Each structure stands twice: as structure tokens, then as C-alpha cells.
Amino acid sequence: MKSAAELLDELQGAMPGVKLALATNPSPSAQHSLVVAAEDALRVAVYLRDVAGYDYCSNATGVDWLDKETTEKVKTTRRVKKEVDGVEQEVDETVEETVKRVEPGCLEAVYHLYSMRQGPHDPHPPLVLRMRTANRTDRVELPSLSPVWRAAEFQEREIFDLYGIVFKGHRDLRRLLMWDEFEDHPMRRDYVDPDDFEYEPTPHDEVLKRAEEHRAKLAAEGAR
Amino acid sequence: MNLNAGWASTGWTSTLDQIFVLVQHRVAELFPPVLQPWVAMILGVVGIVAVFPAIFALTTVLERKGLGRMQNRLGPNRVGPYGILQPMADAIKSLTKEDIIPRSADAVVHFLAPVVLVVAIFLGYAVLPVGRNMVLMPIDAGILFFFAIGASTELSIFMAGWSSRNKYSLLGAMRAVAQMISYEVPLLLSAVVAIMMTGSLSPEAIVAAQGGFSGVLPHWYVFTPWGFAGFALFVVAALAETNRSPFDLPEGESELVAGYFTEYSGFKFALFFLGEYLGMMSIAGYGITLFLGGWGAPFSFLAFIPSWAWFFGKLFLAIFFFIWLRGTLPRLRQDQLMNFAWKFMLPMSLLNLLVAAAWRFLGEWLGAGVGAEAIRWLACAAVLGGTYVLLGRAMLRRQKIGPRSYRYAE
Amino acid sequence: MTLTAYLIVAAMLFALGLGIALTRRNAILVLIGIELMLNAANLNLIAFWRFGAHAEPMTGMLFALFSIAVAAAEASVGLGLVIAWFRHARTTDLDEMTRMKG
Amino acid sequence: MAVESNLKIELGKQGVFVTTLNELYNWGRRNSVWPMQFGLACCAIEMIATTMARYDLARFGAEVFRPSPRQADLMIISGTVTKKMAPQVVRLYNQMAEPRYVIAMGACAISGGPFKQGYNVLKGIDRYIPVDVHIPGCPPRPEALIHAFMTLQKKIAAQPLTGEERPRHLDASAQGEFPVPEPGAHDLEPPVNRLVWPLPAPTVAAPAKEGA
Amino acid sequence: MLGEGILKGLAETAKNFAGSFVSEERLTTVEYPEQRLPQIENTRDFPFLVYDGDDAMAGLRCVSCQICEKECPPKCIYITKSADKKPDYVGKAQFYPTRFDIDVSVCMSCQICVEVCPFEAIKMDTEFELSTEDRFGGLILDRHKLAKSNEYYHQIHPTEAAEVDARLAEEKAKVEAKAKAAAEAAAAKAAADAAAKGTADATAKAAESAAKSAEGQA
Amino acid sequence: MTTAEMKSGIDSGIKSYLPPVIEVEAENELLEVAMGPHHPSTHGVFRMDVALDGERVVRLKPVFGYLHRNHEKLAEGTTYLASMPYTDRLDYFCSMTNNWAYALAVEKLAGLEVPERAEYIRVITAELTRVQNHASAIGFLMQEMGASGTPLMYAFREREKILDLFEALSGSRMMCNYMRFGGCRVDLPEGWLERTKKIVAELPRFIDEMEALLTGNEILMARAQGVGVLSPELAVNAGVTGVMLRATGVNYDVRKVDHYGIYDRFSFRVPLGEHGDIYDRYMLRVLEMRESVKILEQALPQIPDGPILDPKSKPRGFRPKPGEAYGRIEAPKGELGFYLISDGSGNPYRYRVRPPSLINLTILEDMCLGQNVADVVLIFGSVDIVLGEVDR
Amino acid sequence: MMHAAFFLTFAVLTLAGAVAAALLRNLVHCALSLTVTFAGLALLYLSLGAEFVGLTQVLVYIGAVAILVVFAILLTRGSGSLPRQMLSSSGWRVGWLAAVAVGFVLVAALRDAPFAQSQGNAPVVSVKEIGQALMGPFALPLEIVGVLLTVALIGAVIVAMPEKPMLENPVLKNQMPEKQGGAE
């Protein structure tokens, strides 16, 4: 099978203008991935399935990337007008300033593809296909790849349930694991557990904190 | 209560054989003559009502232990010595357990269903000869009586399923009734051969007709080709009639929870349990009467053992066979079960009727003699065996089933 | 007991059967009524056989047997018809059946 | 060996020479405890293993696993009760006929166990229904289940039929049906049935038993 | 032929039925409360705390480092560290737990606490008969209930315990050698040093207990 | 298919594999049945909302989540090692293979080497796991068929022997928590290999017994043959793996494909079915047990001496470099994968289990529609799932 | 005396069942009370010494006809209590009037009818004799009844044959021979 980089070239050749990028993976596993834009995902997927031979979608899952706030010190060189030796001149000046940047987070759907028709004795790493939503709150739609691979049907429902990504074109997008009345998306990293810390005989760390909060709350209610 | 004319033996063996009859007579004689038949009747009823539930209790524990043995384990053995008191504990528990009547259920019918079942099944024992001269109601049409009573148990099952107002129960009941009606036909037809050969519907006459011996071997119907086929068909149909494995769909149905008695608890459930086992024992009793020589001894030299001992011995063997099947076989599906009844059991039992008739007339044409007997035997056996093989093969082929071979990838 | 007693029971049963057949709207109940009337007739046959002068010793009894057989056939066909009609018209109501006539 | 002879004496005494109705009643119901065919998770496999040849729960007359709650006496909560499953469990318990018993088998059933911090895991089934015997372990060995079964039998044997201590099913004022929690937007409603869950005050840490 | 497979199956169950009366292979039941399966050495159930010597609380090996508390996957351990210190088996002054609770209603018997413990203080027990009617009292094991002697440890896991003892003895020997060297050096320097003497005393005590446990093993 | 043809295919729409739609005449007369979540036939807590037209299934919706124990969420809040015991509780029949799959993924993520002896131990335990899983799966399938427990009892009789081996090795019968990143936790105890050899030598006799009891049984054949048929195309597209896939005739066994562990050192064959029905799945399990025995017979005498753990691996403070890895193995129920994303801390940033049981259920609806309701139970049983893994 | 007591019991049972069948609102209850009537009649036959007919009555009416009726009720979704006006036809008053009149006339006529009556014991008829009579003098009626039953069987099957291959009813459907094909 072709490597991810080779496939990227092939896809760009076959479908000019397709929005694709390669995301390298620095770990020893070296399973690099293709990041595909939502609007192109379906035709890329069909190409991968029917032409490139990735007829088997092993795994589909979501990842939640929180908004990342980074602070870095940036040296900027600007041209400033300065009086040098009494004469106003334009001088390059290097200023070090702290820049706060908020990298917007996103929800990501990751698909691991293999080929079954490639023959049973050909080990190849999975092709990782990733799609990203625009943000984590209101623009969380992605095209469903379950029409291409049925295997993604339940897994996309699970991603919808736990991460809240809405898959357009899924034939039956309902919650998979939680009950229908449930409103949260618990696998998101900012999900807050329900408060049920009545009896915690061996609490520590965060649990201890929350158990104490719970006790304080109940005590306050009792006092009232 | 007339003594059987063919009974010539005397002495202690005959006393032992007739001990229950004698006791019944002696006790009845204590009463004024007008009441004597009634007292005798009541004694007989008490005997049946005492003995068969006791056997039922024993059967439940034997079944659990027997199944256990087949499955490499011990089974109940801690309640009383060897677990023998297990059924008592179960009975106490069931009697004292809360009796739930579902809110939407039809309370009267819900209550009547198990009662009707148990009463009907007890009635079936009235004409069953459990030993020489040991039959409660020696009526002429005894076998018909049994089948008539057996047919009415279906109604109680329907009542149970319908009155629970639970869709599992109703569906289970409908299935049970359909199954029982379907298998009643081959059950009756397979019993008819024995009736035909005896020329009587009376169970006692049928037992008497199988009473003689050739050398040491008895003249049981099961040792003739038609008798064997009839017996086999009767056993299969009886399994289905009593909802035993592999035909236990109505209750063990994995998609229907517990079938028609899903909503029953406590005492009423115990009654269903009782009715089911009593039904199994009574149908086994009739099978023994029709084909296995009833209370007759299997060898002439064993005739000194009391007749009732033989009957109950055979009954326990039959029960063991039921347990054995239950421990081995998976369950059929409803449509396959129906198919089997109509497409295999029915033709086979009809053919068996013909073969039985042929046997009779061949006997007349060919006359006596070892050679003639052998020809008759082989001809009948060949027809039945051949049809069995062909019909079986056709059934398997129609359903496209059979053994398979598999390929491997290196 | 006398013959008359049995005959009176049969007559009352017949009247009840007739009543059911005449007043009920449900086709199955009407069939039940008809069955009751047939049974009343059977009871008559048996009663007459039992108490009659036995010129033909078994006629009454055999007649009752035949009648039972015929009744069974009638019931099966009748109920089959009702079910077939139900499947067609989704009702077992006789009044509605007549209304749909034509 | 002492255990064996004691047991035999006890059985002989109560099985054959019954003295009181009370004893007979308790003897009957403790020797005929039919569990409900009901499994939840990992522990269910050990529960099945307990009924299998090597451990053979049948020896106690308890292999009659009834599929219908109406005919069952014992509910073995064998495994994690999730919040999605909890209403069903309570409903099934409500369908059982008295006298009924509950064994919470394994850590998850008692307290949520290793999964207790999960958002969908109920922290112990005793928040909604009364539990008779708890077996810790993850999963408990089959022998541990048999031990719990014997603990339950002992508990039944010790119950007087009258007075304050009488079992629930003989107490007309006792609760028969237990409220079934409803699935809510974030959690079960209510998250705990205060009438069943007897914890008097929320405890952060259990009182240390120094010098116990 | 129709029925052949069924007959074969019947023969198989009959074989097992008959076999159950004669062969142990075919009757595998172990009647639990009276008979027990042979104890498998590696069996683990719930953790316990090992102590040396006779006094359970004084001999606890646990130094309250709280690693197990942190590493425990379901967080079922609760430890309170003491304010004062007491010497451990090599004589080093260590903290000890004033409270050590394990909630067995949560414990998943994974053995990770044993793996991460650098002091061989927590080991896995084989006791499983813990079923109880008491939800709140019966399922929290405090340090008194948890503390079990090294002899007990040798009883349930003989091979492992012997290895542990050997390792501890080796470590101790190393420490002793070091202490000896230090003591000699100190003795060479000064005749009487109260601190050194104290250490030697503690070492002697630890050696005594080690000897005792060795006896227990024998 | 050429690229050009394919392109026209893209333009004209996507070829999807969807369950058949069953026409119903009278919509209002359908019987709606909720099978489960507590139901005698479902393996644990699972619900199927079934609509029946008579006895025929015309609609079926599986409902999951009754055993959703938040395994992934918990794993993301704790260390890498602490998730290992939790993997035991995924597919609680096969803790060894679960351990292995997780260890494999972490080894890929962190670049750890596994010593040879540990690889052998892994193969041996995995194949023992496969044998006991398949035997129990057959037993449970027969239970669905109403066989009053006998096959299940026989299966569990053998399973107990294998569990004894696991207990002697790891200390626990079911929840072994035995493998570690880069090897195994403890070495084999004394005498373990001999006992294993003895038990493995007896396994063929047990398989023969099971086959004598079941394979030729007409009732089994009648109920299993031609029921729950799955086509190979649908199976591949729906990501079905394991016995379910191979019963349709597709030759895909991760042991052969990925050459993970040391499986290419052993000669074994992959049995393939033709019909893709319940009977094929049953037979394939039997045949795979025989192949596993073959692997065990080869592996047991060959096992070398040596270390069992990569020295780079340590129980505490394990922090792989940022990156991600997807590792998979052939678990008894199908392809079990773990997908891990590391952000360089001690806890995985994303921890995902690819559960074969869940994905093999994708085609449950396809297999059941149009079938008799009694067969639904069997079809479900023949998939061989464990709810712990389905819902995680 | 004994006989009279039996007769009265059985007669009351029979009539009570019929009255219940006439008055109850739930169709299944009607069918069940009908079986009470059938059972009462069978007992009356037995008390008259017609053993064979009595047993046949049980076999045919309780074992078959009652079950058929019950199934028909369930198949036509008629179980459950219905309001009175749904049950009785428009002219029910006239109907009952006619029925009561007929009954009254019949009873009145019978009370005084001078039937020749043998007061002896019941004639003992063995099953063998019945069989011989059926095969001898009554052979023709027997054949006719046989043909009638066959025709009725075929007729009932044809009438009940569904237009589509599958019946809604689970029970009847299972008797359909063809096995369904697998899902493709």
C-alpha cells in the first residue's frame, strides 16, 4: 500500500483542488494522517474506498481539542521613527513582547482505514483520515462517512453522542450509549460530572474536593 | 374389581401383587354395602392423589440431579439426605410466596387456569392401569377418555396466557395450543395401531393383549415393526404434547421469557409446574400401557415381581428418558416443529396404520410358522424403515441442511 | 330421572342458543348460539335413545355422533368464514356486514 | 469438619424434626432460593461459572434460574449498574413476588466499584433498592458467591416471623414498590432514593476506627 | 439419516452421566464449604499490609509514602500520614500511616498498589469470604484489619515472600555494612556518639525481627 | 475498476450498503416488542426494539449503552498503567488478549521492544484465551437454542482448567492484568509449562466431545443452517471482523495480516466458511479452536529463557512522547484495536478502544430483517459479543 | 336420588354456562362459559350411559371447537369487554322475545307430552358394538360424514387461506409450509 504522503499526491492529482493536508506523527509508530476538509471528505473517502483499495474502515472516533491559550514571547522588529543624534530617523528596533494567542479548539473525527482486498499477507500501517469541525460550540457539523463505510455507522453515532459532532448524511443519527433525554456530551474535556458524591470513604485529589463541595452544599441546604 | 381370569399364580407373590387391591377391599368392607363402591372409589382417588404428586416431587429432584450428572456436577444434595427434601423446601417456599395477580389481569380466569389444568390432568389418571386390577375407573373407552381429557388441558393453557394480559404470555399460550393441537393428531394416530390390534379402547384389554410370552420374551407391541414405529412416534408426539425438550418452546422460549406462565408466581406457578409433570407422567403411563406391556414383566421369569412395581419401574425409565433428552438436545423453532408434525409425523403415522393393517392380514394369509413370521416382520420393517429414511432425507433436502466441509487459508 | 326432564333442559338450551343467535351482533357469538342449538338437539337424541323403546338399539346414539361430527365441520367452516371476512372487512359485526352489502 | 457436622445436625434438626412453624417456614424459603436469570457485566460470568459443574450452585437447590421475575426469589445484581440500566433494575425488582432478596455481587453493584467516578455509573444499587448481602471483589470468586449465598441463608434462618425484626414481606407497613428513577437531562431523577439509602449525613470520610 | 446426530449426542451425554459415577474427570464439582480447591500460589484478592514482629501497628512496613494511593486506579486507598516518625526495619526514621483505609467495595484487585510499593509493605491477600450484610461498616478495611503478619504472608505466598525477605535482608545487609563502616569511622573519630549508638540499637531490633520471620518461614 | 470508471461512480452517487427495507401491509398491526435490556436471551444488558409482522421481523433497532461504564473517559483521567486492569473488564472473557492489544498500542506509541520470552507467553495466553472464548461462545449459542446448559457446562469445565492456568500465572481467574508495556508482569511460575502442556494435550478430546454432541445434530443444523446469512461484501464494508467475517469466506486474520507478535513463527491455517450463516460461525469456532491447539503445541516446547520485560518500561512515571498510535490484534471476537494520543503527559490525551463486538453488531439489523423472531436470538448469539466491550 | 342430584347439578351447569354465554360482554368469557356448557352436556351424556358420546363430546367440543372459537376471537381482535350496544344487534328485544317464546312453547309442550318411556337401566353399549354398527348398517352415513369432514377441512383451509403468503397470526402462519429465505 502507498504511504500517506504518496496518497496525498495521488489524490491531489486525481482530484485537483481537493483540500488535503498531511499531518505527521512524531511517535515511533509513524502513522501519519491525511487531514481532509469537510466539503471534500466524501469524495476523498469514495476514492479511497473504491480506487485506492481502502475498503475496510477499522476505527472511527472523535477527539476533542480544547481552545488552547498560548503565551509566547515574540521578538518583533519594527521600523520606528526615532530621534537619533537629534535627527529623526527610521530605525529598526527589536522589541520583546508577550503575545497571548487563543488557538481555537475543534472537534476531530478520525478514521483508521485498512485494505482487505489487498491480500491477506501484506502488512501495512493504517491510513488515518481526519476531519475537523470549525469550532467546538456551534459549528460542529461534518459529513458522515457511513455511506461509504457502514462500519462507521455506530461509531459515528457514538461520536455524536459523546462529543457532539453532528454527522450530515448519517441515516440514523441518534444517541448510541446515553439515554435519549441526556443533553451533555460527556467525552468532551470540559464536561462536568453530575454531583453524586454522597458517600466517599476514600476520596482524594479532585474527588475529595468535589465530595467536600457536595457536603458543604448539602449542609447549606440542611441549614436552610 | 374382578380378578383377571388369566391370573393363575397363587401364594405370596400374588398377595404382594394385589396388596393394594386387597387393602382397598378390606377397608371398603368396613362400610355399609351401599357405600362400599364409593369408599373404594375414594380410596383409589386418594391413592392417585397421594402417589403421583409424590412421584412428581421425586421427579423434580431426580431431574435436577440427573441433569447435573450429565453435566459433570452433583445437583441438589444439601437439603436433607442426598437432597431428597429439596422438593419439600420448594413446596413450602412456593406455598408461602406472594401471589401476584397483575393489575390488568382477569383475576377469575387467571386463578381458574392452573386449577383446571391440574384437575384435568388428575382425571387422566382415572383410567390408567398402574398394576393388575389397579385401575380406578375401568371404563370401556378408557383411551378415548384420556385423549378427551388431554385435549381439555389446552384450554387451561389458553386461559393462563390470555388472562395474564401480557403479550409474551398470550403469544406463548397461542404457540403452546397450536403445538398441542398439531401433535395431538400424530399422537392419536400412533396410539390407534395398538387399539386396532387389540380391538379395544380399554387400557386393561390392551395390556392384557400384550400379556403372553414367547419363550422369555413378552408380546409387547413395541417388538413389532408397526409397534416400534408407533411407539417412536408416540414418544415424539408425547414430548411435544407435554412441552418437553426439544419441543419446550412455549415455556423455555428464549424470546418469550417464560411463555404462558410468565405472570404466575407462588402457588399458582407451582400448580402449573405440578400439572406439567403430572401430564408428562400420565402420557408416559399411557405410552407404557399401549406399547410396553403396561404392568407386564419384561421376561417371563421375572413375572413374580408385583405388577405395580413393573409399571412404576417403567415409568421411572420413561422419565429418565425425558430427562436424558432434555440434557442433550437444543430446541426446535416453531415453524420447524409444525413442519415436523404435519410433514413427517402425520405421514409416518398414517403409513404406520396401513402397515399395521397389512401386518394383520399378512398374518392371516401367510399362516403361522417361523418363516412366515420372518417374512411378515421383514416386509413391514422394510416398508417403515425405507419410508423413514426417504422421508427424512427429503425433509433435510427440502430445508437444505446437511453436513458441510470447510476450506482453509494458509 | 325422567325423559321429560332431559327434554326440558334441551328445550331451554335451545331457546338460549336461539336467543344468542338472534340478538348478538358478533358473528362468532352467533355461531356459538348455533352450536348451542345443535347441542340441544344432541341431548334430545341421547335422551330418546336412553329412554326410548329399543327397536333400533343404537340409532339415537350414532345419530348424536354424526351430529357432533357435522357440528365440528360447521364450526370450522363457519369460523374460517368469519376470519376470512374479518381479514377483508376488519370487522366481525354482523350489522356492519349487512350494511356493507352490495 | 466441624462446619460439616454442624450443618448436618442443623439440617437434621430442621428438615426432619421440625419444631415450629417459624423454623419450617424459614427452612423452606432459605433452601429454595431461586435466582432470577439476570446478569449485568463481568460478575455475571462468574455467577454463571458458579452454577457450572465445578462450583455447582445447584447443590443448594438454587440452580432454578427463572427467566420471569414473578417466579424468582433472589436477584443477584451481578455487575455494574449504569444509570441507563438502573430504572430497569428497580422495575424488575418491583415485579418480583415477596419474599425477595437481593445480593449485590461485586464492587460495581455495591458502590460503582472501579467505575464509580464514571458519568454513567450508578454508585451502588442500594441507592434504589434494599440489598441483603454485599460481596466485595472484582469479580468475586465463585466460592465467594456461594459464601454470600450461605450468608443469605443464615440471615433468613435468623429472621423471626413476628415482632419488630420480622422480614419486610410480613410487614404490612413496609414499602412494596420502590420508586423507579427517571432518566433526566444530566443525571437520574432522583439521584438517590433517600428512604432506601440510609446514610444519615453525607460523609466525606468514614470515621476512623482507631483501636477497634 | 435423520436422527443420527441426535443419537450421537445422546450417547455423549450418557457417557458423561455414567462417567460421573466412576470418574473424577466427569464429576468436577468441588463441594465448596467443606472441600476447597487447592490454593493457587499467585492468587490475589484484596491487599493487606505486612507487618514484622509481634505488634501489628508498630511493625507495619508502610511508610505512608502514598504512592499506592496515587497509583490505585479506582482510588480506593486513603492514607493519613503521621506527624512523627519511627524507625523502619533498616533503622531509618520514617513516617507511618495513622490511617490506612481500603474500601473493598471499590477495590478491583488489580495489584498495582503492590507493584508500585517500593517498601514491600502492601501485598495481596487470598481471603475472599468477605460477604456481609453491613454495607457501611463491613466493607471498609482500616489498618487494623489490614495488618497481617509476615508469617501469614509466607503462608499464602511462600515463594514470593521468600524472595521479598531475601531482598529485604540484602538491602538491610547493605545498610548495615554502611552503618558499620560509618560507625567504625565514627568510633575512630570519637569514643562515644549518642546518635550512632541510637542507630545501632534500632538496627539490632530490626535484625531481631528479621530473624524471627526467618524462623517462621522455616 | 479503473480510475475513470470510479470517477463516474463518484459523480453518480455513492454505492452504500444498507439494510433491506421490508414492506409492510398493515402498519398498525405490527407487534412492537422490546427485547431486553433484561431479557433471558440477550448476553447481558442489550435491547432490541423489534417490530413483528406475525413472527417475521420487519424492523429491528439495537439499543446500546446499558453497560456504558465510561472506560475511555476514566482512562483519559489516569495513567497509562492504570488503564491496564480496566482493559480486563472490556471483554471479560478475554482479558489476556485485551491486555495484549493495549500493550501493543502503547508499545507502538512509545517504541518499546518486547523480549522473545514475553512474546511466547503472550501467544500462549492469547491462544488459550481464544480456545476458552470460542468454547464458551458455542455453549452460549446452544443455550440460546435451548440446550438446557449441557454444552455450556462442558465448555465451562474446560474453561475452568484454562482459568486455573491464568490464575497460577497472574493471580486472577478472569481479570488477569498480566501484560505490561514491553513484556509481561511476572515470569511463569514453576511447573506452569508442564501443566499447560498437559491441559493442551487434552483439549482435542474436549473438542471432539463437543463436536459429537453438536456438529451432526439435526436440530442444530435445522436451526443454524441458512439462518442469519451475511454476504462478504457487506461484511467487509461494515467492518465486521473475526469469525463473523471469515464465515462469509473473506480471508482476513490480523494474525496473518499484521504479523504482530511472533505469529509468523507458527504454522497454522485460517478456516473459512462459505455460507456466512450461523452454522458456519459455529463450525469456524470449532475449527479455530483446533488451530489454536496447534499453535499452542508448537509454542509450548519452543519457549526460550530470558527476560520478560523491556528494561525501558517502568511501572511509574511512564510518559510517552507526543504522538499517536493505533494498534490492533486478532482478539477472539474480532479485531481489537486501541487508538492512543499522547500529549507527553502521564495520562493519555485520547484513549479509544475499537471494540469488535460493537462493530460486528452493525449488521445485526441486516441479518435479522425478514427472519423469524426466534432466529433473532440465535443470530445475536452467533455474533458472540460481550456487552462490556460493546458499551465500554 | 343420587341420580337426580347429579342430573340437577349437570343441568344447572349446562344452562348456567349457556346463560353466561348469552349475557357476558367479554367474548373470551363467553367462549369459556360455552365450554362449561359443553362439559355439562358431556356429563349429562355420561349420566345417561352414553359413555362414548360423552367422551367424543369432550374431545370434539372442548378440545377442538372451543379452542377454535377462542382462536377466532383472538384473531378477529375481539377480546376485551365491549359496550353493550356493540354486542347486541339492533333488534335484540324482539330476538329475546322470540327465543323466550319458543322456549316457553317447547317446555310447555314437553311437560305434558306422553312419551313412551322405558324406565329400565341404560342399555349397555360397548365401543366394539358402536364400531360394528358404524361399519355395518351405518356404513353409508359414516362415509358421508367422512366426506363431509374432508370437504369441510378443505373448505376451511381455502376460506382461511390468506391473499398474501403470510398470515398475520403467528400460530396459523407457522403451519404454512414454506420456510422463509435468509436476508440477502
Side-chain angles (χ1 to χ4, degrees), chain B residues 214 233 260 265 306 323 332 340 344 348 369 383 396:
Chain B
S214 299
L233 290 166
Y260 53 87
S265 65
I323 296 171
L332 274 168
F340 191 66
F344 185 84
M348 273 310 283
V383 170
L396 294 182

Side-chain angles (χ1 to χ4, degrees), chain A residues 26-27 63-66 68 189, chain F residues 76 78 80 109 318-324 340-351:
Chain A
S27 90
V63 186
D64 181 13
W65 299 103
L66 286 172
K68 225 192 272 172
R189 298 186 79 84
Chain F
E76 285 170 18
T78 184
Y80 282 88
L109 183 68
F318 180 75
R319 288 167 201 278
K321 291 191 189 71
E324 63 171 57
L340 300 165
I341 301 180
S342 164
D343 59 353
S345 71
N347 300 355
Y349 184 80
R350 175 75 180 107
Y351 171 101

